[in-house]
Amino acid sequence: MAPKFSPQRLPHTPDGPYGTPGIAACTADLSKVYGTGDTGVVALDRVSISFGEGEFTAIMGPSGSGKSTLMHCVAGLDSASSGSVRIGSTELSGLDDRQLTELRRDRIGFIFQAFNLLPTLTALENITLAMDIAGRKVDGAWLDRVVAMVGLSERLGHRPAQLSGGQQQRVAIARALVSRPAIVFGDEPTGSLDSRAGAEVLGFLRDSVRELGRTVVMVTHDPVAAGYADRVVFLTDGRLVDEMIQPTADRVLDRMKNFDVRGHTN
Ligand code: ADP
């Protein structure tokens, strides 16, 4: 069945040598099939979506609907079977492994459910590690802004074990932002936090969009988390089926109730 919904709010197809102004990343007819033949699984089915600069998008949908696959393909962690993915003006399918690694390092930030901090390093060392390894100079003024925004100024010398879960995720947010990435991806970033720490982390993610002008795309199954975003897109069976602008947790929850098990609107 063809999807009923096609988000028109932002252009899907980049044009011009520098990509479409205002678009941090986009896909056009992105499909991903795992395996081949009868055993092949269509994880993404012709998904066309744009992520605007300075926008906070939540990706929602039932388990198995393709959320992680979409994020991994846009972030250059997984390759598409067909269709296009661009970060700015860069078409990912044209990149070799080394170029993809550089793109992820220089232009993309990641925040995972597990904080993935190195236990022997201080908070500050964790934040700057990737840039230090790459031999890139850390912009001190930007680092100060990022650290102040996530409220870590007093804790930069602490090791992860000396920090709460929420504080560790704040270090991970600062680590994702320090290189001024074009786009930051969060994979259930509050999944291992209690609701208070989760609310703090979501507030900081929103601040990174509002105050620091970053672009954030977050995969979540939690309507409360999605309520912090500027828009929510809904996936079902690998297809983009709906979009909600200026969501609230209640509206997201209502919308989810209106999807049956296959996710189609009742
Ligand atoms: P979600 O994140 O919404 O739970 P996923 O993107 O993880 O969904 O998965 C989408 C579909 O693709 C599911 O049917 C899943 O089983 C399948 N899938 C995901 N990764 C793989 C893989 N590496 N090999 C085979 N099938 C996969």
Side-chain angles (χ1 to χ4, degrees), residues 1-6 45-46 236 239-241 262 264:
M1 190 178 76
K4 279 194 265 183
F5 168 76
S6 168
D45 187 3
R46 290 162 294 159
T236 299
R239 289 178 177 161
L240 206 52
V241 292
R262 286 178 55 76
H264 301 302

Side-chain angles (χ1 to χ4, degrees), residues 88-99:
S89 65
T90 306
E91 170 65 49
L92 300 199
S93 64
L95 304 183
D96 61 28
D97 282 350
R98 186 184 56 81
Q99 290 169 319

Side-chain angles (χ1 to χ4, degrees), residues 34-35 41-44 61-70 78 219 235:
Y34 289 107
V41 175
V42 179
L44 292 177
S63 181
S65 59
K67 302 181 294 295
S68 305
T69 305
L70 176 61
D78 201 349
V219 167
L235 280 178

Side-chain angles (χ1 to χ4, degrees), residues 189-226:
T190 57
S192 47
L193 300 176
D194 62 39
S195 57
R196 191 170 146 270
E200 259 177 23
V201 159
L202 290 160
F204 291 128
L205 279 178
R206 189 167 59 189
D207 290 349
S208 75
V209 173
R210 301 263 195 285
E211 294 176 20
L212 304 181
R214 298 298 94 189
T215 302
V216 174
V217 176
M218 168 179 74
V219 167
T220 183
H221 66 274
D222 177 4
V224 173

Side-chain angles (χ1 to χ4, degrees), residues 16-245:
Y18 306 107
T20 305
I23 301 299
C26 65
T27 73
D29 282 333
L30 170 66
S31 292
K32 176 72 183 180
V33 182
Y34 289 107
T36 52
D38 289 349
T39 55
V41 175
V42 179
L44 292 177
D45 187 3
R46 290 162 294 159
V47 172
S48 297
I49 187 169
S50 299
F51 300 106
E53 285 174 2
E55 189 175 47
F56 185 1
T57 303
I59 300 175
M60 297 198 81
S63 181
S65 59
K67 302 181 294 295
S68 305
T69 305
L70 176 61
M71 192 190 88
H72 290 164
C73 286
V74 179
L77 291 166
D78 201 349
S79 60
S81 301
S82 63
S84 159
V85 178
R86 291 194 184 199
I87 300 288
S89 65
T90 306
E91 170 65 49
L92 300 199
S93 64
L95 304 183
D96 61 28
D97 282 350
R98 186 184 56 81
Q99 290 169 319
L100 269 177
T101 302
E102 282 176 11
L103 175 117
R104 284 195 298 264
R105 187 190 69 199
D106 297 341
R107 296 173 63 189
I108 296 177
F110 293 100
I111 301 161
F112 301 99
Q113 180 170 342
F115 320 124
N116 293 340
L117 303 179
L118 287 182
T120 55
L121 301 185
T122 65
L124 179 61
E125 288 165 345
N126 267 288
I127 291 168
T128 61
L129 178 66
M131 293 188 76
D132 293 342
I133 290 173
R136 286 177 64 193
K137 195 173 172 326
V138 176
D139 175 340
W142 177 255
L143 174 66
D144 288 348
R145 276 186 77 185
V146 167
V147 164
M149 187 201 75
V150 294
L152 284 170
S153 305
E154 310 298 315
R155 297 194 168 80
L156 289 177
H158 290 46
R159 294 204 161 70
Q162 299 169 303
L163 299 171
S164 69
Q167 289 166 344
Q168 290 186 56
Q169 195 62 312
R170 282 149 61 178
V171 174
I173 292 174
R175 178 181 58 185
L177 293 170
V178 73
S179 63
R180 288 181 188 262
I183 187 161
V184 174
F185 292 97
D187 193 355
E188 301 277 6
T190 57
S192 47
L193 300 176
D194 62 39
S195 57
R196 191 170 146 270
E200 259 177 23
V201 159
L202 290 160
F204 291 128
L205 279 178
R206 189 167 59 189
D207 290 349
S208 75
V209 173
R210 301 263 195 285
E211 294 176 20
L212 304 181
R214 298 298 94 189
T215 302
V216 174
V217 176
M218 168 179 74
V219 167
T220 183
H221 66 274
D222 177 4
V224 173
Y228 283 76
D230 297 316
R231 71 166 174 163
V232 183
V233 295
F234 296 90
L235 280 178
T236 299
D237 294 341
R239 289 178 177 161
L240 206 52
V241 292
D242 208 350
E243 177 183 52
M244 186 184 287
I245 307 299

